[in-house]
Amino acid sequence: MAQLPVVLADINGDGLPEILTSEYAVNSAPNPLLANVAAQSTSAAEALMPQISTEVQVDANGNKIMRPRVDIAAQVSSQNLYNAPRIVAFGSDSSLVRTWNMLGANGNQPFYMAKLTVGDFNKDGLTDIAATYWTIEGGAMGGWLKEGVATVLTTGTPYNASANDWPMIYQNPRNTAVLIRDVTPPTVAITFPASGATISGSVVVTANAADNVGVIGVQFQLDGTNLGAEATTAPWGMTWDTTTASPGSHTLTAGARDAAGNRTTSAPVNVTVTATPSFVFSPTSLSFGSQQINTASPNQYVTFTNSGQVSFSVSTVASSGDFSQTNNCVTTLAPGASCTINVAFTPTVRGPETGTLSISGSFSGTAQTVSLNGAGQALLSSLAPSSLTFAGQLIAQAAPLA
């Protein structure tokens, strides 16, 4: 019996690796031209071993061609001998656990030098064995070594990567061909907003995601384009500023992935985005300083601009305290349009005063305001000129009045 390098795999489900290799043997079948002779199996030690040699041929151009050849010196006349190599699995106690025959291909007998690899190749959760080996051309035990055969068979045993994760001669050092393969994709569904909802402003989009091993990321998408960064921790959600999307119908989806690279995309959720008014004051506060009581200050002005995507109307502009206003804002403002509010301060009391300028209309929330401040004075005075210059003067003598 001749054996080749081994591979390890748990092929009987006991949680321990078995030793797999290929084994050479010769079997016999009765010669139909002679009297009945029982078929028998002849071990490699009892049978004539194949002899591997190289034959040199010369073609018409004088080129030498070297061909490997397998020869059997003799046949027993009463029997038909044939190669019967097989894959064998041994337990840790040297017991024979299981065998598989290598059948050859295209009428050519198999040659015993098989290289084995184990893994879950078709991802069905069962341990598979892949064998590659030569065949002997000619249909008999002697002939030319021909192109190889690749055979993949299943053991029917649940895949046990922890028992298979060993370095092997015909695999890479870490044996990545047999590391655990998770083939179950995650499940994912958007939980908010509901399909058919009408939304505006800032909305928190949420989803439920689960996996047999674990979800490592959920990516929300709007109309097939990523919506923000991928969420990498549960609960799965993100805040969506709907003002960045055009008003109208949009489709939300969520894609979940696990560490093995399996991905699932949720059922689509269709929503309608409505634009909300957006506006800005400039400036946001006015300061009038000191002002004589019962005397109006010069006007200061505030610009009110529609910075959104939809028109809105202004219904009321008001000021409080000793601050007054005039405006051209009580109208409908289209996107990008502006209006002006002129504000004056006429104090009626001495000391600091504050007030507000407010504006309201067809937009949600409380009235929008600008802060106002100033101070009332009973009498305002000033000196003129602000300086005097005298010519040279004797000590202790008064200068003429300027």
Side-chain angles (χ1 to χ4, degrees):
M1 178 174 65
Q3 294 178 342
L4 286 174
V6 301
V7 292
L8 304 178
D10 177 14
I11 57 92
N12 62 356
D14 63 357
L16 299 174
E18 278 69 55
I19 303 170
L20 282 79
T21 188
S22 59
E23 177 186 79
Y24 176 70
V26 173
N27 284 352
S28 65
N31 190 330
L33 302 178
L34 302 175
N36 288 341
V37 179
Q40 57 183 323
S41 174
T42 305
S43 70
E46 298 169 343
L48 295 170
M49 295 293 292
Q51 303 298 314
I52 302 176
S53 62
T54 301
E55 182 175 307
V56 179
Q57 296 179 340
V58 180
D59 63 16
N61 297 319
N63 298 316
K64 292 183 178 180
I65 303 174
M66 300 182 67
R67 297 183 183 276
R69 181 179 178 86
V70 178
D71 294 290
I72 294 296
Q75 281 274 24
V76 179
S77 61
S78 62
Q79 298 174 340
N80 289 325
L81 300 183
Y82 61 92
N83 287 322
R86 60 181 183 170
I87 300 169
V88 292
F90 298 98
S92 58
D93 59 356
S94 301
S95 61
L96 185 62
V97 176
R98 193 168 176 185
T99 64
W100 297 265
N101 293 328
M102 293 188 291
L103 301 178
N106 300 322
N108 295 323
Q109 293 193 39
F111 192 56
Y112 75 95
M113 297 177 65
K115 298 176 183 178
L116 305 180
T117 307
V118 294
D120 180 11
F121 302 122
N122 59 351
K123 296 186 178 182
D124 63 355
L126 302 177
T127 298
D128 304 316
I129 302 172
T132 57
Y133 54 92
W134 292 336
T135 59
I136 303 173
E137 186 175 14
M141 295 183 64
W144 307 108
L145 288 179
K146 199 179 177 184
E147 68 271 6
V149 173
T151 300
V152 179
L153 54 91
T154 182
T155 64
T157 301
Y159 184 66
N160 183 355
S162 62
N164 294 357
D165 190 18
W166 292 71
M168 301 180 194
I169 280 184
Y170 296 112
Q171 296 173 227
N172 59 72
R174 289 203 63 246
N175 194 18
T176 55
V178 296
L179 296 178
I180 292 176
R181 284 172 172 76
D182 171 19
V183 298
T184 304
T187 59
V188 60
I190 293 178
T191 55
F192 187 86
S195 190
T198 298
I199 56 177
S200 62
S202 182
V203 175
V204 177
V205 184
T206 59
N208 284 337
D211 185 65
N212 63 320
V213 177
V215 176
I216 65 171
V218 172
Q219 176 66 65
F220 293 93
Q221 290 194 325
L222 177 67
D223 301 327
T225 301
N226 288 350
L227 185 60
E230 181 185 50
T232 55
T233 57
W236 310 106
M238 60 86 60
T239 300
W240 174 28
D241 179 8
T242 63
T243 62
T244 60
S246 61
S249 179
H250 293 277
T251 301
L252 289 169
T253 56
R257 65 185 180 94
D258 62 20
N262 301 304
R263 296 176 181 270
T264 300
T265 300
S266 71
V269 170
N270 297 314
V271 296
T272 300
V273 173
T274 58
T276 56
S278 178
F279 41 79
V280 62
F281 281 113
S282 179
T284 57
S285 64
L286 296 176
S287 181
F288 291 87
S290 297
Q291 181 64 33
Q292 186 174 346
I293 293 174
N294 297 321
T295 302
S297 70
N299 284 340
Q300 297 189 41
Y301 66 92
V302 173
T303 301
F304 183 67
T305 303
N306 181 349
S307 58
Q309 302 177 25
V310 293
S311 299
F312 59 81
S313 61
V314 176
S315 58
T316 303
V317 179
S319 58
S320 64
D322 286 338
F323 300 90
S324 60
Q325 60 81 29
T326 58
N327 71 86
N328 64 347
C329 292
V330 181
T331 184
T332 298
L333 288 182
S338 300
C339 63
T340 302
I341 306 168
N342 296 297
V343 183
F345 175 43
T346 306
T348 57
V349 296
R350 182 179 179 181
E353 290 192 56
T354 59
T356 57
L357 175 68
S358 61
I359 189 166
S360 58
S362 60
F363 37 83
S364 59
T366 58
Q368 306 304 304
T369 62
V370 173
S371 61
L372 309 172
N373 68 82
Q377 283 191 338
L379 178 64
L380 294 177
S381 60
S382 62
L383 295 175
S386 59
S387 64
L388 295 174
T389 302
F390 293 87
Q393 183 68 27
L394 294 174
I395 296 174
Q397 290 189 4
L401 293 175

